[in-house]
Amino acid sequence: QKEVEQNSGPLSVPEGAIASLNCTYSDRGSQSFFWYRQYSGKSPELIMSIYSNGDKEDGRFTAQLNKASQYVSLLIRDSQPSDSATYLCAVNEDNNNDMRFGAGTRLTVKP
Amino acid sequence: KAGVTQTPRYLIKTRGQQVTLSCSPISGHRSVSWYQQTPGQGLQFLFEYFSETQRNKGNFPGRFSGRQFSNSRSEMNVSTLELGDSALYLCASRKGGTNTGELFFGEGSRLTVL
């Protein structure tokens, strides 16, 4: 069974701090990686995609990928209460057509 | 540009009944995936369709089935409903062709089985 693992949390950070979310995956053939945010009662929405080793920055969000360690992370700088949500890590293999999701990490940003 | 549209948004069924859920993808998207989301299991992959063909299937019993039409709209059906089928069913679309594109989700269909 190919797995995508995340700490379920909850992760609590104060407003303005950096939130660090981590994800590991088991399939070395994985080629594309995504972070989704899901507010309570809503559907997941895409935040970041990353395909190559290294960092990718978009505003307050930075995704980091290390294929050798099979590890992908999401950093949220200057965290805001509106960032409070569940963050889902998703992984897509090269020769498969389904995207596998982790169980999600619930983040709470306290004012 | 309209997003992914799912109908119905909410429905209540009883055990043994069957249900059909509908999904209209974003215009131009040819791939449609279905997921089941429950508090205990998270997002579980059901199946993915591209050009009316099922390309991949998750580990769900045969009671769960789907299809895709020539206009890329998709339906999923669950027969002989069980209490454990109560969940949020999410449809997601992407352009298709390759499998590396981002998925865009609809608002979901929340099914309650009594």
Side-chain angles (χ1 to χ4, degrees):
Chain A
Q1 182 73 23
K2 294 162 184 172
E3 301 282 346
V4 179
E5 301 283 348
Q6 295 181 254
N7 290 329
S8 61
L11 173 65
S12 181
V13 301
E15 184 175 356
I18 295 175
S20 177
L21 305 164
N22 304 313
C23 173
T24 58
Y25 59 95
S26 62
D27 186 9
R28 286 194 171 274
S30 301
Q31 294 295 322
S32 47
F33 308 86
F34 307 87
W35 284 99
Y36 285 81
R37 176 176 62 199
Q38 187 173 24
Y39 292 113
S40 181
K42 300 292 186 181
S43 60
E45 58 178 329
L46 180 70
I47 299 176
M48 294 279 290
S49 59
I50 186 166
Y51 303 94
S52 304
N53 280 328
D55 296 359
K56 179 181 178 182
E57 187 174 317
D58 184 0
R60 296 186 296 111
F61 299 95
T62 299
Q64 299 174 316
L65 174 62
N66 184 325
K67 289 185 179 180
S69 300
Q70 295 175 244
Y71 176 91
V72 59
S73 66
L74 179 70
L75 299 177
I76 306 175
R77 291 182 300 280
D78 188 25
S79 295
Q80 301 297 310
S82 59
D83 294 327
S84 298
T86 296
Y87 289 80
L88 302 167
C89 172
V91 175
N92 213 141
E93 303 165 37
D94 186 37
N95 60 353
N96 209 334
N97 296 305
D98 66 82
M99 189 179 293
R100 303 282 175 168
F101 285 79
T105 299
R106 196 171 75 193
L107 172 68
T108 300
V109 180
K110 296 188 175 181
Chain B
K1 193 174 186 180
V4 178
T5 304
Q6 291 188 247
T7 56
R9 292 289 313 280
Y10 303 91
L11 64 167
I12 300 173
K13 294 285 188 178
T14 57
R15 281 180 297 174
Q17 288 186 310
Q18 67 95 28
V19 65
T20 299
L21 309 177
S22 179
C23 172
S24 294
I26 291 171
S27 178
H29 285 194
R30 297 166 62 194
S31 168
V32 174
S33 297
W34 287 91
Y35 290 84
Q36 181 195 66
Q37 188 174 37
T38 58
Q41 297 296 318
L43 267 170
Q44 301 292 311
F45 173 75
L46 282 157
F47 25 66
E48 189 251 0
Y49 287 88
F50 176 76
S51 292
E52 303 178 66
T53 300
Q54 186 182 89
R55 290 201 293 192
N56 205 1
K57 190 177 190 301
N59 295 323
F60 278 82
R63 300 185 297 107
F64 292 82
S65 62
R67 59 178 175 169
Q68 187 181 33
F69 302 96
S70 58
N71 61 357
S72 296
R73 190 177 70 84
S74 177
E75 289 181 347
M76 68 161 283
N77 184 78
V78 187
S79 62
T80 319
L81 284 166
E82 301 177 359
L83 294 178
D85 296 333
S86 295
L88 179 66
Y89 290 87
L90 289 162
C91 168
S93 76
R94 57 184 171 187
K95 288 185 177 179
T98 67
N99 59 14
T100 56
E102 298 92 342
L103 283 175
F104 296 89
F105 284 88
E107 291 298 313
S109 293
R110 186 167 294 281
L111 170 65
T112 301
V113 182
L114 302 176

